[in-house]
Amino acid sequence: MKTTSWVEAYGGLSVEVFSARAQADGAAAAVAALAAAPVDEDDGDADGDRAGLLGELVTQDLEIWAADPAAVAAAAARPVLQAAYFNACHHAASKGLLDHGVLGALTEAAFAIRPREADGPQAVQLQLVISNLLHRAWDSGASLETVEADAVAWLRDLVTGWSTPRLGTSSPLGMATTAPGGSALLSLTAWGIQSAVRTADGLPEELTTTLEALLGAQPDDQALAVIGFCLTLLHRCDPAWTADHVDTLLPLEPAWRPARVWLAHGKPDAALLAQLDRTGLWHVLCASHAEGAHYRVLRALVDGAELLGPAGEFLAGLASCPGGDVAVSAMLSQLATYTARSENGEVTERAAGLWRAALDADLPAAALRGAGHFVFAACLDQDLWLELTVATLAQQPDLEDADYLVKRASRTPASPGAQLIAATALDHGPVNGYRARTVRRAADLYAAAPTENTPEREALRVALINAGAIDDAYGS
């Protein structure tokens, strides 16, 4: 595919010409003409150009192209074009542009032309696209009754042929989802979960047999990553099955265990989290790149059920681990971001409660630095923010986002708490970066504050003098 500053030129092929052909004679005729059309092969990828144009055509006029998918697939003839066609339809479905009936017909048409043997990258790509469509259809509730049994058997075969002992994958979940076998495992799991929801009889045997074979085999980090990603739904649909396999599902070491992937990427589930070894969980939270685990724990701590026990006790235990103070600080910062993005008053109330619990837990000072990030949580009432920030500064004067602390405190310059926040930010904030702006904001707050000589106002005056803003401190 060649790109200019104005248009995308698919090997010299015209989008307008084939779009007009589809409107005049139907999508099947247009794709047959496209498959046979000569291409300027300067880039050496004629079918790649045709595939790119086909995806554009589907996007432009989905109604025409989704009307008779079996005919389009037959006319496309080659796996590369079939994959491009059904992939474009899959993307449309992911955007909610196809109703269930159309999605079901598309998926059945795609399944009908599935490659029996994945000879070459084109066939592999087509297998991946078909598996993705099956997943989308089952997730959306589309009916696939006529092909369901065959599709389940096909997916199981793909998983069996794909999984192999391996432990060195750098990004096992990402690698799995781009391989037909990994996608097939996700799709098979989606089918099994929908079946369990529909029948209320737990996970079907076709799925559990496949999962148990993977759990019992020599470890395959990619297959186990997919299981970990789906762990919440598996647990909710069939807690008895999860309970029967805790020894292989829930250990946190080694790092290839499903629970580790779930902590990083799975759907939050406080009940599942409560089943993990507590010390092992704290150690995971202290590791580098543990943001996903932090988020899932925070969701459990603020959900009100206290399945992890009292929040202050949990945070104190985490802070006592090597690197735990840094982990708690990062979690408080992440909690502040989560709160700032939420428009739910109950979430805001619970987040404030967790912040207060952290203050009451006698944590190391370093564990509280991240609470400074609550300055961005506009949903927090100003008086409550002032109260909790002042209490935090009493234990940890060096909070994150010192400049913004002064900016928010300036909304209420008459508040003694606001004056104390500004004074502390000047005394303990960074001396580089936004220092001049911080001093300016503190000076403005001081000028707007009532003139009576309170301890907080005097502390701010002294802080301004120490920061070099002598004229501002003396009102000159």
Side-chain angles (χ1 to χ4, degrees):
M1 185 186 302
K2 295 177 293 183
T3 304
T4 72
S5 59
W6 296 101
V7 298
E8 287 185 333
Y10 300 99
L13 300 174
S14 167
V15 173
E16 290 77 12
V17 167
F18 289 98
S19 179
R21 180 67 183 271
Q23 292 175 11
D25 302 324
V31 79
L34 175 61
V39 176
D40 176 359
E41 296 191 50
D42 287 349
D43 57 6
D45 186 14
D47 264 347
D49 289 323
R50 294 187 183 96
L53 185 142
L54 179 55
E56 180 73 17
L57 291 171
V58 174
T59 300
Q60 286 188 0
D61 204 338
L62 183 61
E63 184 175 351
I64 289 176
W65 285 92
D68 191 354
V72 173
R78 299 191 290 281
V80 63
L81 298 183
Q82 293 167 330
Y85 167 64
F86 284 114
N87 193 48
C89 293
H90 175 258
H91 283 304
S94 70
K95 297 176 182 177
L97 301 178
L98 295 174
D99 63 35
H100 291 177
V102 174
L103 178 56
L106 274 164
T107 305
E108 291 183 0
F111 184 69
I113 54 98
R114 64 196 180 278
R116 301 294 176 174
E117 298 291 338
D119 293 330
Q122 296 177 0
V124 170
Q125 180 64 21
L126 182 55
Q127 285 183 330
L128 178 63
V129 170
I130 294 169
S131 177
N132 289 342
L133 263 176
L134 287 167
H135 191 171
R136 178 68 57 185
W138 281 317
D139 263 357
S140 68
S143 174
L144 298 177
E145 292 180 3
T146 59
V147 302
E148 182 171 294
D150 289 341
V152 168
W154 180 71
L155 291 171
R156 294 183 71 188
D157 286 344
L158 283 181
V159 174
T160 300
W162 161 74
S163 182
T164 187
R166 55 193 155 197
L167 292 177
T169 310
S170 60
S171 179
L173 183 60
M175 291 297 294
T177 56
T178 58
S183 173
L185 183 54
L186 279 170
S187 301
L188 181 65
T189 304
W191 165 78
I193 287 168
Q194 292 303 319
S195 175
V197 170
R198 185 172 63 249
T199 65
D201 288 335
L203 298 170
E205 183 180 358
E206 294 91 335
L207 174 59
T208 57
T209 300
T210 300
L211 296 177
E212 287 160 9
L214 295 170
L215 291 171
Q218 290 294 314
D220 174 2
D221 57 7
Q222 294 187 33
L224 295 175
V226 173
I227 295 173
F229 179 72
C230 301
L231 194 53
T232 291
L233 294 176
L234 294 170
H235 176 245
R236 290 177 181 175
C237 287
D238 199 337
W241 181 82
T242 305
D244 287 342
H245 296 86
V246 291
D247 291 343
T248 50
L249 288 172
L250 299 189
L252 293 168
E253 294 295 342
W256 43 261
R257 293 288 191 180
R260 284 291 290 272
V261 175
W262 173 74
L263 272 173
H265 303 290
K267 291 181 179 294
D269 185 336
L272 187 59
L273 194 66
Q275 296 186 37
L276 301 181
D277 173 72
R278 183 58 50 85
T279 302
L281 176 57
W282 284 333
H283 288 161
V284 171
L285 294 171
C286 293
S288 58
H289 308 297
E291 294 82 3
H294 292 171
Y295 172 72
R296 280 149 192 82
V297 169
L298 286 172
R299 287 289 299 270
L301 291 175
V302 300
D303 75 357
E306 289 198 337
L307 291 178
L308 297 180
E313 292 181 12
F314 183 93
L315 293 176
L318 172 57
S320 70
C321 298
D325 52 354
V326 176
V328 173
S329 176
M331 289 172 66
L332 289 174
S333 181
Q334 191 178 56
L335 176 65
T337 299
Y338 175 65
T339 307
R341 292 174 178 170
S342 174
E343 297 181 356
N344 186 317
E346 187 176 358
V347 169
T348 302
E349 181 179 349
R350 288 178 176 172
L354 182 53
W355 185 3
R356 195 183 298 279
L359 292 173
D360 293 340
D362 194 25
L363 301 177
L368 297 174
R369 285 201 76 242
H373 206 61
F374 275 102
V375 71
F376 299 109
C379 51
L380 270 179
D381 174 78
Q382 178 72 357
D383 288 340
L384 178 59
W385 175 79
L386 287 168
E387 174 200 343
L388 292 175
T389 301
V390 168
T392 306
L393 289 170
Q395 298 183 46
Q396 168 56 286
D398 183 16
L399 291 183
E400 290 179 354
D401 304 302
D403 179 56
Y404 290 98
L405 293 176
V406 179
K407 180 180 180 181
R408 179 159 181 174
S410 296
R411 299 179 193 173
T412 50
S415 164
Q419 298 161 23
L420 185 59
I421 289 170
T424 308
L426 287 181
D427 285 341
H428 298 278
V431 297
N432 52 11
Y434 299 107
R435 178 68 170 177
R437 190 169 69 184
T438 304
V439 173
R440 183 72 262 156
R441 285 173 172 167
D444 290 343
L445 188 155
Y446 180 76
T451 57
E452 64 256 28
N453 190 22
T454 63
E456 294 82 7
R457 188 170 186 272
E458 176 62 15
L460 179 53
R461 186 182 72 84
V462 172
L464 285 168
I465 292 171
N466 292 336
I470 298 174
D471 290 345
D472 294 298
Y474 285 103
S476 300

